């Protein structure tokens, strides 16, 4: 088995490694996304408008669901597949930027996933606003050689054009929804409608040609709507749509309770992870209750909850009062820019301690990556840039833990190294929590955390393979760095076996 980032710096992709072949898969003239571009931020404004003037997602989703029901979609929204009791599938989160980090995932994914029965895209299929014309280079082209069906749940970015393109691609070419009556003037809904981003005129004209890239019969998948369940072998996989603001409407909440009933083991896939960055985010349901309450109910037999939205990998094995352990996983490292892990404080949440917690990239690699990025952006390379060994050592000091990967030789921590770690928001122990609220850390994580750019490897991308049997599910997180070595043999960054009986 190939070395992982926990074994060696080379396993993480550092050093003068041979570049991968992923660029050969990319189209020419890729338009790079930058979230520091005001035009991009303006196009993606609907989330902010929903938080200010009311969220219309629930009503729009209900209309989509009603339309699909009228077209013959199953009322229970369950996809029943003829998979055997032993099978495998992939989960890939937050994929669709269409640039080098997304395509760097593909060679390893095809190698690891060649015998899988299907894949699930967990949140944000298309950036920046889920447009139909973006699907060719950000969905159909990168996954054209994946020979199995692909199902998806939308993320907030897919909702920035009211989910129209997503429904066309994944839900049997669903036609646009009829226009609703204009809201009454001078109401919140009226103000929202004046500023609401809508699809470009003629968007989707190239969609028919794009479909030809994944036109084989074995690649086809039709799902009943933006949320669904898949009965496959001994398990039920439940996919929920958390919309623009990470919540469920009452209608979807009632469906989730119904589809969660029964003794069949279940895996949740959600666009909003329930444990992330050292915090518990249970996901409220309109009218009362939370998604996590449903997941924890022993009668529902959930064994894992996998969420996208955050662009890295995290795992929290949460012990429950009845003796079970639920695996809460963040799996959003499938192609979009990397969210930092070095800002995660020493973990102590839901009965999960630092010793139990896993993440990828490792915090030291995350800090080294961001220090090099900011050194370039601010033209202060000599000051900001930390080696991977320096970053690993200073993170271990700040968290009060042994180094996750042994640094290459003795590292002397200087005032500069400690200052750079602090400026870039490296986490601390909970007993020093007051320092986590320094304004500089808040500014870093909310404002200067960079938008996507075409970085040089290592990219620190990842995807999941789940191997299902009647006895257990084996979950593995595979790395994709953009280097040739990790393309040929994608290293396993984390692995856990989840019992089903």
């Amino acid at each position: 088995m190939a070395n992982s980032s926990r074994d060696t710096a080379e396993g993480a992709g550092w050093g003068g490694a041979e570049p991968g072949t992923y660029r050969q898969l990319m189209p020419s003239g890729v338009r790079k996304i930058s979230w520091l571009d005001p035009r991009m931020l303006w196009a993606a404004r609907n989330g902010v408008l929903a938080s200010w003037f009311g969220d219309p997602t629930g009503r729009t989703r209900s209309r989509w669901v009603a339309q699909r029901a009228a077209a013959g979609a199953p009322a229970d929204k369950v996809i029943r597949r003829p998979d055997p009791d032993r099978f495998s599938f992939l989960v890939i989160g937050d994929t669709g930027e269409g640039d080098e980090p997304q395509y760097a995932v593909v060679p390893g994914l095809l190698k690891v996933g060649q015998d899988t029965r299907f894949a699930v895209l967990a949140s944000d299929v298309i950036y920046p606003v889920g447009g139909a014309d973006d699907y060719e280079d950000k969905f159909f082209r990168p996954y054209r050689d994946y020979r199995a069906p692909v199902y998806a749940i939308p993320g907030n970015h897919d909702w920035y054009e009211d989910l129209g393109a997503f429904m066309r691609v994944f839900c049997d070419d669903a036609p646009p929804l009829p226009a609703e009556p204009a809201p009454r003037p001078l109401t919140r809904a009226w103000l929202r409608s004046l500023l609401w981003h809508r699809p470009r005129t003629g968007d989707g004209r190239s969609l028919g040609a794009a479909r030809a890239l994944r036109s084989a019969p074995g690649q086809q998948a039709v799902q009943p709507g933006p949320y669904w369940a898949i009965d496959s072998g001994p398990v039920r996989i439940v996919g929920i749509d958390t919309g623009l603001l990470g919540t469920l409407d009452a209608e979807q909440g009632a469906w989730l309770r119904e589809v969660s009933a029964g003794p069949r083991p279940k895996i949740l896939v959600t666009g909003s992870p329930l444990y992330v960055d050292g915090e518990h985010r249970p996901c409220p349901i309109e009218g009362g209750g939370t998604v996590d309450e449903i997941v924890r109910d022993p009668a529902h037999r959930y064994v894992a909850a996998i969420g996208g939205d955050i662009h890295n990998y995290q795992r929290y094995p949460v012990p429950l009062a009845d003796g079970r352990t639920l695996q809460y996983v963040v799996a959003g490292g499938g192609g979009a820019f990397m969210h930092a892990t070095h800002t995660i404080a020493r973990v102590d949440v839901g009965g999960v301690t630092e010793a139990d917690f896993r993440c990828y990239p490792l915090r030291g690699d995350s800090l080294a990556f961001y220090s090099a990025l900011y050194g370039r952006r601010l033209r202060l390379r000599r000051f900001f840039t930390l080696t991977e060994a320096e970053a690993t050592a200073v993170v271990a000091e700040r968290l009060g833990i042994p180094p996750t990967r042994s640094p290459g030789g003795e590292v002397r921590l200087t005032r500069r190294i400690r200052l750079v770690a602090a400026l870039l928001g490296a986490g601390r122990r909970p007993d020093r929590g007051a320092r986590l609220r320094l304004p500089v850390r808040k500014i870093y994580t909310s404002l200067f955390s960079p938008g996507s750019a075409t970085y040089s490897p290592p990219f620190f991308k990842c995807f999941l393979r789940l191997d299902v049997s009647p006895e257990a599910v084996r979950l593995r997180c595979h790395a994709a760095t953009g280097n040739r070595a990790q393309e040929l043999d994608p290293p396993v960054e984390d692995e856990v076996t989840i019992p089903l009986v």
Side-chain angles (χ1 to χ4, degrees), residues 157-279:
H157 287 268
D158 302 304
W159 269 102
Y160 287 163
E161 290 192 349
D162 292 333
L163 213 62
F166 179 96
M167 297 295 293
R168 290 182 65 180
V169 170
F170 294 104
C171 299
D172 200 24
D173 207 17
L177 292 173
E180 288 194 292
R184 289 186 295 109
L186 303 180
T187 62
R188 295 174 71 205
W190 178 77
L191 290 171
R192 184 182 64 221
S193 69
L194 293 179
L195 300 172
W196 199 251
H197 172 83
R198 293 177 175 83
R200 301 180 301 274
T201 302
D203 186 45
R205 289 174 179 169
S206 65
L207 200 52
R211 292 182 195 275
L213 294 169
R214 279 186 51 85
S215 58
Q219 293 176 311
Q220 304 313 303
V222 175
Q223 59 191 60
Y227 57 92
W228 40 258
I230 298 174
D231 281 351
S232 184
V235 300
R236 170 170 284 185
I237 303 158
V238 180
I240 60 173
D241 168 20
T242 55
L244 283 171
L245 302 182
T247 62
L248 262 63
D249 61 280
E251 180 180 328
Q252 186 180 183
W255 169 85
L256 179 60
R257 291 183 176 93
E258 291 176 5
V259 83
S260 298
R264 191 172 193 152
K266 299 173 187 71
I267 298 169
L268 182 75
V269 182
T270 169
S272 299
L274 304 179
Y275 279 83
V276 61
D277 294 344
E279 299 177 356

